[in-house]
Every structure is written in C-alpha cells, then in structure tokens.
Amino acid sequence: MDSDENSGGLFFGHVDADEDFSGPPIPIAATAAATGAANGAATGGPSCGAAGVAKRQEVLLPEQATLIRESYARIEQDRKQHALIMYLTIFDICPEAKPLFSMVRDSKEPAPVNPRLEAHASLAFTMMCEAFSKWDDPDQVAKATPFFKALGGRHLNYGIDGEDFPIFRTGFMKALQRAFGEEWIFRTGFMKALQRAFGEEWFGDLEGAWCAAFDILESMASSGMAEKGGKKVIPPAALEILEKQQQQL
C-alpha cells in the first residue's frame, strides 16, 4: 500500500503529496446526498442519525458495544470483501465521487478489481469497526476524538463535506447488511418494532448499535470540518475530470 493511502483520508479518498488545492469549490454531492438518504430509506437501510434519533449518544451503551464486538468478530475474516462493497455502494449512489479517489482516478483497473481501492477500503472499514467496539468507554471516545476531528477537517481538501455523510453511511450499512444477510433483515425488523414501542430508551438492536457508533464518528468528523471552515475544495485532478464529464452531458 502506498504511503499516502496510510496517511491520507480513510473515509472517501486521500490526497497525493504534490496536489495543489487552489481550485474553486464546487457542489457535487448535494443531490447525491439526498439520493443516498432516500436509497437507505427505500431499501430498509439505517434510520439513525438526524432522520431517526432526536439526540445522538456521546458514548455507546455497554450492550451496544458488546453487539458490535460480537458481530464484527463473526465477519472480520471477510472484511476486505465487505469493505469493498461499502465503497462500490458509494460509487453506485454517487458516481461523481470516483474522481476524488486517486487510486481509482489514476488506475485503469475497474473499481471491483482495483487492488489499491481494496486495500484502502479494508483499512477504513477495519479502523471504524475496531474503534466502534471500544466506544462504550468514555476515555476511548475522548482518545479517538482528536484523530477523527482532524480526519474530518482534512476531508474538506479531498472534496468531502458534511453533505456526503448520508452516502457514506448508506455504503457502510449496506456492507453490514450483506455481511449478516437474513439475520440483519429479520432481527432489524423485529427490533424496529420494539424501538418504536419504547422510543429513545430502546437501543438494543444490531443495526441501532452500529448506527449509534456511526453517529458518534460523524459528530467527531463534522466538528473537525466546522473548525476548518466547512468549505470543501475539489482536488484539481478530480476537478478536471468532473468538468469534462459535465461537458459531455
């Protein structure tokens, strides 16, 4: 794996060391974010976040962290496959995101068989899952916060801002849904009925546990973006591709 993939953005893309971010910001994800949110709702996707839970948790409940640890242990051996599904889902929802990834932009390999994308996706997926499993401990949340805030701030320079989180959330949840199969669908349906009955005091379901962890992550990254001004800039190499695509429409 290239060094820039180790040190760059883990969610959506990373930046080459010689790239200049003087290009103008352009909105590529406003409609795609809405599409991603709608996609999640239409396919039985996550109902957490702003649309589902009025108040986000600052830490996970012990039972939530236990669910994450136990469920991740069962799918960890196939994490590369699940991670790739996460990114392919993002590209399916928002094709405009592809040029933001140098490992995709600079490669002739199709995304499903791109080894650099697979390595990048696996790193991101593993990092999130392992972090989530510890977030019932306030000290672990506090320890992780500066890292994810800084990561969120850096993503503004990758052409990513808060509008893009619904897309990434949908990709992540779709990967988990495929990993757990019928168990995810059946258990989630049953637990959602209980969740509606008990309201905000119900946080015991599998999907809800992963959603709550993603909410905490999103809060950290969004805070970092806000501290950096919240204004994203498309990398010039990606901007050139996007402009050519617009001209062909």
Side-chain angles (χ1 to χ4, degrees):
M1 188 185 306
D2 295 341
S3 60
D4 58 345
E5 289 170 14
N6 281 317
S7 60
L10 297 177
F11 302 151
F12 291 92
H14 70 276
V15 180
D16 296 325
D18 58 351
E19 285 190 332
D20 172 32
F21 300 110
S22 57
I26 60 174
I28 68 165
T31 56
T35 302
N39 181 285
T43 59
S47 60
C48 53
V53 178
K55 184 178 180 180
R56 295 186 177 188
Q57 298 167 243
E58 295 183 357
V59 297
L60 297 178
L61 299 177
E63 55 266 35
Q64 290 176 316
T66 297
L67 275 171
I68 289 175
R69 284 191 290 268
E70 291 178 349
S71 59
Y72 178 58
R74 287 160 38 211
I75 66 171
E76 185 178 8
Q77 64 180 1
D78 297 320
R79 64 183 181 277
K80 288 186 178 180
Q81 177 185 355
H82 304 318
L84 186 59
I85 288 172
M86 174 174 69
Y87 277 83
L88 294 179
T89 300
I90 291 170
F91 295 157
D92 184 53
I93 296 170
C94 182
E96 298 93 339
K98 283 186 178 181
L100 301 180
F101 295 79
S102 65
M103 78 284 290
V104 176
R105 183 177 70 234
D106 301 336
S107 176
K108 295 181 180 179
E109 297 274 6
V113 293
N114 184 323
R116 291 180 65 200
L117 176 62
E118 182 186 69
H120 177 90
S122 179
L123 179 65
F125 187 80
T126 302
M127 178 205 66
M128 289 192 298
C129 292
E130 291 182 352
F132 291 173
S133 69
K134 303 174 184 176
W135 283 358
D136 57 332
D137 182 346
D139 290 339
Q140 290 292 333
V141 174
K143 183 179 179 180
T145 296
F147 172 79
F148 285 108
K149 285 180 66 176
L151 195 61
R154 288 203 301 272
H155 272 73
L156 292 171
N157 283 341
Y158 309 154
I160 303 300
D161 63 13
E163 292 181 340
D164 301 297
F165 277 112
I167 302 171
F168 187 66
R169 179 190 294 273
T170 299
F172 182 66
M173 292 299 169
K174 179 65 71 175
L176 294 177
Q177 185 178 12
R178 290 199 179 189
F180 293 110
E182 292 184 4
E183 174 189 351
W184 181 276
I185 298 170
F186 175 78
R187 179 170 182 153
T188 296
F190 176 68
M191 294 299 179
K192 279 189 179 299
L194 295 178
Q195 186 175 8
R196 288 198 176 193
F198 287 100
E200 289 188 23
E201 69 178 283
W202 178 261
F203 290 105
D205 65 290
L206 185 61
E207 183 183 13
W210 286 97
C211 263
F214 193 97
D215 282 344
I216 296 172
L217 168 64
E218 182 176 336
S219 179
M220 293 175 182
S222 296
S223 177
M225 289 177 175
E227 289 181 1
K228 293 293 184 180
K231 189 176 182 181
K232 67 182 178 184
V233 179
I234 307 299
L239 182 62
E240 181 179 353
I241 294 174
L242 290 168
E243 288 177 340
K244 288 181 179 178
Q245 290 176 348
Q246 288 293 323
Q247 292 171 3
Q248 294 171 359
L249 294 179

